Amino acid sequence: MKELIRDNTEKCEFLVHRSVFTDREILARERAEIFNKCWLFIGHESEIPEKGDYKRKKVGGRNLLLVHSHDGEMRALYNTCPHRGALVCRENSGNSRVFRCFYHAWSFTNDGQLAGMPGKDGFPDDFNCDGTKNMTEVNRLESYRGFMFVNFDDHANSLDEYLGNAKEYIDLVADQSEAGMEALGGVQEYSVRANWKLLAENSVDLYHGMPTHKTYFDIKQGQDPDLKKVKLEGKGVDLGNGHAVMEYVAPWGRPIAQWTPIWNEDLKKDMEKIKARLVERFGEERADRIANYNRNIVIFPNLVINDIMAITARTFYPTSPGYIEVSGYAFAPKGEDEEHRMARNDNFLEFLGPGGFATPDDNEALELCQEAYNNNQEVQWNDISKGMVRGEDNTLATDEIQMRSFWRQYKTRIEQSLNKEVAQT
Amino acid sequence: MTVATITRQDVVNFLYTEAKLLDEWKLTEWAALFTEDASYTIPPIGDPDANPKDSLFFVHDTRARLQERAERLLKKEAHVEYPHSTTLRNYHNIMVGDLDSPVIRVECNFTTHRTKREVLDTFIGRHIYEIVQMNNGLAIKSKKVILHLDSLRPQGKISLIL
Ligand code: FES
Ligand SMILES: [Fe+2]
């Protein structure tokens, strides 16, 4: 069996074989063992608040329709016509009681049930009595604190069990608002010419912060000369099941309740009030953690929730070993005061997203890795050992425990597949 | 002092100058075309009139931030644009609003090509400018970039100034 991950605790060395970033055969196995079996983020409940609301979503390579049906249920329907296959819903989002396939005009209520078709007399009376002509629904759709996930494996453990220790960190994000969090409009759909696992790594990698994002920190320094007083410091934690987090302090302002001098006095008072309310709700220690600590969470395999200078979530899927489609979300407390929200969004755009001062440099780093994997034949291993010398329970946020947690889970799942001759579900 | 009469050709030349400065990576000179209260924005795809409070823009720059953007891109540590990509901007279908108004509204289509590491990406869309007359010529009060794309695939990022 080919060795893909070398995890040598004694030597404090952790290696990843670079073929995992370029090999098509491995991607096929990832689809079978990971994307067809793990819980995958589909969206946030706030995206479809009203009955009839729907949004098209690409998840795990499928074309899905996330819909708030009229019976009150949220459903993920496979967006394909049970007749001869056409994409049923072509709008990206909207509100509708029925979906009509334009090809032969079969129509479906928004819970997926076949409602009618032209030329009914050509079909038997009991046509669809077994429901096989309804739009097919993803059997497993579960949510945690508003974050919705699907699983294409009907026998998978519950989402709750799957998230496990990661729930504590999702709570620290969701608890920031008593009214609940909402996804902003304008989910950013972009791409990176790199392997999907490079983005998972990068999103929980504090080690690259200073060298890759120096221009961002220069700009922050220009805005606030006292900035250097806060360093990037904290801890990295393995959350099990391939999930991991880094929790740390950072010099930027946090729009929940860590004020910075770039913001005005009104905002300072507003944030003091929010902080006081957090203390009331959760006590001093947890309130401080929510307000002043940053957390980058990776939920295996392809969801990242970053609660940093703003809150973003990104999910990504490989269409080939060297190309991913990314969806980037912004989250904020529902009903947030206008000025506060604008400060939050400005903070977001300064660093994050395809037009930010940082994310494009990440994108470039990943693409340069991918390009240089052309040398894989002769140069075979990535090193992900940083912090192992400290012991895995004492690692810093700037160590690489987050990535090792991801890779250890990856190893477990892929090695099962490597025992099979071909990728199979 | 009399204010010089502006012609359509003045406005068109001004826009072409803007495009040329960007293509030549003269970014501080580009920033200098903007007024003190200027803005540079890129709303979400498909929602050009989105409210920046409720929607995630790609860019929502004040004058100060567009200066930072320009200066950042000239640094060697702006890795995504180091070495600089090669770009070519075309402005077409230029429509110039009322020349006698204190704020002249100008719209045009744009095609911006970017090539780096032998990969060519193209951005298409529409620019909407508010242009004002200053003592030393014309200046941009606002520039809004409306992308006519389905998504940022395969472009992946807007590291350039569009
Ligand atoms: S394919 Fe949809 S109605 Fe025929
Ligand atoms: Fe980064």
Side-chain angles (χ1 to χ4, degrees), chain A residues 81-86 88 101-106 108:
Chain A
C81 184
H83 180 222
R84 278 176 23 212
V88 176
C101 177
F102 89 86
Y103 197 5
H104 312 90
W106 284 27
F108 308 88

Side-chain angles (χ1 to χ4, degrees), chain A residues 184-186 188-191 193 211-212 214-215 218-219 223 323 325-330 336 338 341-342 345-350 354-357 360-361 363-364 367-368 371, chain B residues 44-45 51-62 65-66 68-69 72 75-82 114 116-117 119-121 150-159:
Chain A
L184 268 64
Q188 295 179 332
E189 304 288 352
Y190 59 102
S191 56
R193 292 174 174 114
T212 298
K214 182 175 180 301
T215 58
D218 286 349
I219 286 168
Q223 296 165 351
Y323 188 87
E325 296 184 342
V326 186
S327 302
Y329 293 75
E336 194 170 37
E338 166 131 22
R341 175 65 69 84
M342 284 311 295
N345 292 353
D346 278 345
N347 240 29
F348 186 109
L349 295 183
E350 190 172 32
F357 292 168
D361 289 332
N363 187 321
E364 182 75 353
E367 291 188 357
L368 289 180
E371 181 166 335
Chain B
I45 289 171
N51 179 342
K53 172 179 174 281
D54 307 316
S55 285
L56 182 57
F57 278 46
F58 290 108
V59 171
H60 191 260
D61 285 2
T62 57
R65 187 168 289 175
L66 77 83
E68 289 166 348
R69 184 177 296 278
R72 182 187 108 80
K75 292 186 180 171
K76 196 177 167 183
E77 297 92 358
H79 309 287
V80 65
E81 290 298 340
Y82 181 84
R114 171 189 190 267
K116 190 173 182 191
R117 287 186 272 117
V119 178
L120 180 72
D121 284 316
D150 294 319
S151 65
L152 278 179
R153 299 172 187 144
Q155 299 86 349
K157 60 204 166 255
I158 311 176
S159 50

Side-chain angles (χ1 to χ4, degrees), chain A residues 20-24 27 194-196 318-324 370:
Chain A
V20 302
F21 301 114
T22 55
D23 190 321
R24 290 193 164 271
L27 177 60
N195 186 268
W196 67 276
T319 58
S320 73
Y323 188 87
I324 46 176
Q370 194 69 34

Side-chain angles (χ1 to χ4, degrees), chain A residues 70-124:
Chain A
H70 267 80
D71 60 5
E73 290 280 314
M74 310 267 192
R75 289 187 169 81
L77 303 173
Y78 294 96
N79 192 5
T80 177
C81 184
H83 180 222
R84 278 176 23 212
L87 198 71
V88 176
C89 176
R90 294 172 292 157
E91 286 90 7
N92 285 331
S93 64
N95 183 288
S96 183
R97 271 183 182 270
V98 287
F99 300 112
R100 199 170 77 115
C101 177
F102 89 86
Y103 197 5
H104 312 90
W106 284 27
S107 59
F108 308 88
T109 49
N110 63 15
D111 55 0
Q113 309 264 338
L114 179 65
M117 80 279 270
K120 250 190 140 144
D121 57 350
F123 298 96

Side-chain angles (χ1 to χ4, degrees), chain A residues 202 208 212-213 351 362:
Chain A
N202 170 266
H208 84 283
T212 298
H213 303 307
F351 189 96
D362 287 313

Side-chain angles (χ1 to χ4, degrees), chain A residues 8 51 62 67 70 93 112 131 156 159-160 190 202-203 210 234 249 283 319 323 350 359 369 373 379 393 401:
Chain A
N8 188 337
K51 285 182 183 174
R62 278 80 165 175
V67 56
H70 267 80
S93 64
L159 174 67
D160 206 72
Y190 59 102
N202 170 266
S203 300
M210 279 300 174
V249 290
T319 58
Y323 188 87
E350 190 172 32
T359 300
C369 291
Y373 292 146
V379 189
D393 295 330
I401 177 75

